[in-house]
Amino acid sequence: MSDVNEKNHGTLTGDNHAALWSGRFTEGPDAAAVEFETSIRVDERMALDDIHGSIAHAQMLGEQKIISKSESSEIVKGLKSIEKDLISGELKIDYSAEDIHSFVEAVLTDRIGEPGKKLHTGRSRNDQIALDERLYLRRMIPCIQNEILTLIKTLSEIASKNKKSLLTGYTHMQHAQPGTLAQHLLAWASMLVRDWERLEDSLKRIEKSPLGSGALQGSTLPLDRELVAKKLGFSGVTENSLDTVSDRDYCIEFTSDFALLQSHLSRMCEEVVLWSTTEFSFVELSEKWSTGSSIMPQKKNPDFAELIRGRTGKVYGDLINLLTMVKGLPLAYDRDLQEDKEPLFDAFDTVEANLKVFTAMVSSAKWNLEKMASSCEGGFANATDLAEYLVRKGLPFRTAHGVSAKAVRMAIDAGLSKIEDLCLEEFKKCSPLIEDDVYEILSPESCVENRKTIGAPSSESTSVQIKALLAFCKKSLKK
Ligand code: ARG
């Protein structure tokens, strides 16, 4: 289900409701105090989740005879009408409410009268917020997971067209060994698979319903926590009420997943920026996903890759924000915990937008295959291949390494840019084991094709990787 907040920004409607806790007070709060403590502009995006949690709670209250059956069904009917009107945009969020819980309860009581006042029986906003966050994450994390899959699929499809498109591999930003564009893009895809799996793993830890933990010590009322959990599709209930209302591990865990995902996107973007330079020119971004300069007429800049890279700090900051928020907090609930939502949602929104933009950017990019292939020329990236050739002829690797290094030295001294420019006689001076057949293993194409180990860049090995990635995307897609 979509978020309601897009349609519901703006107009304040409804009464200016008193805070849920106003009874003990003789004076209303200072307007500046209300402004300071309100969270509705942040937590409004959980409106539907709040309603779904309340429906299950009200049904349980009825089934346990804590409230009457008819009160329970009136509450449920009222909540459903609020849900409907929020989705249609007919009901606007009232930003004078303290938080989304107060808003929903106030609208409910406006609509159905007395029974509405029974909704909060056996419940506190402390366990309610822990529930809303879980429901929201359970509903929305799959959207991020699906975006990750779309990107993995996009990269795999580009890779499958470029299994033989040569691209040198670098270590220390120096030519290292020949490879392919496919192998490189599949490396990106492999990082993303782990990002998807981490989210999947984190989802397992929000599989328990917190409701019924109350403010901190459960309830004297005969609440059936398991029934609520079952109605909401949880696999069970949380174990300890104090822990439940204090725990924000899940916010930290998802934000940490986002931070790692963001680090991957940032590394990919760095390569896109580098590859877009005149010096590299491995890739040309489409005009749709580039920007110009207000002064330099010739410019076509990779701003989108830079913005994704630049927003990494936001997501890392969100994680540090959350970790610092919980550090040293005594049990149980402290209002500090209200501050969890801004960083969590910011990290969520940032990675979601970044994934979409990165996918659009790479799928519309043009790969300069000739320029990439020429990167395999020079730099002596086939020196390891010469060493392994000698290993196959029986030389110990360390000795073979020395022979190949000697050939490289010889080529450099002779002003040659490739080992294969040495004649056989020169090769023989390095090792008598080298024969005429050495030339065919030294071409970049052979260097790539001869690397047939699992996960290596030969077209055979990359085909296996692509097949596995596409199968992963197919089986992992969520509705
Ligand atoms: N809005 C709060 C939060 O997000 C929940 C309300 C609990 N407030 C309280 N004073 N106990 O954490």
Side-chain angles (χ1 to χ4, degrees), residues 239-310:
E239 293 79 10
N240 178 288
S241 61
L242 281 185
D243 172 51
T244 301
V245 297
S246 322
D247 168 30
R248 290 298 182 273
D249 290 6
Y250 53 93
C251 298
I252 297 172
E253 200 174 328
F254 280 110
T255 307
S256 156
D257 297 343
F258 295 150
L260 256 174
L261 163 59
Q262 185 58 44
S263 81
H264 291 155
L265 289 174
S266 186
R267 292 177 78 168
M268 296 172 203
C269 284
E270 167 59 23
E271 294 192 311
V272 169
V273 171
L274 190 70
W275 290 358
S276 305
T277 57
T278 310
E279 287 73 11
F280 274 81
S281 313
F282 289 173
V283 72
E284 191 180 342
L285 297 177
S286 73
E287 294 194 358
K288 283 192 172 126
W289 291 103
S290 303
T291 55
S293 157
S294 60
I295 177 168
M296 297 170 282
Q298 85 287 5
K299 293 285 271 173
K300 187 174 161 220
N301 294 327
D303 287 28
F304 294 90
E306 291 168 344
L307 285 168
I308 296 173
R309 189 179 59 186

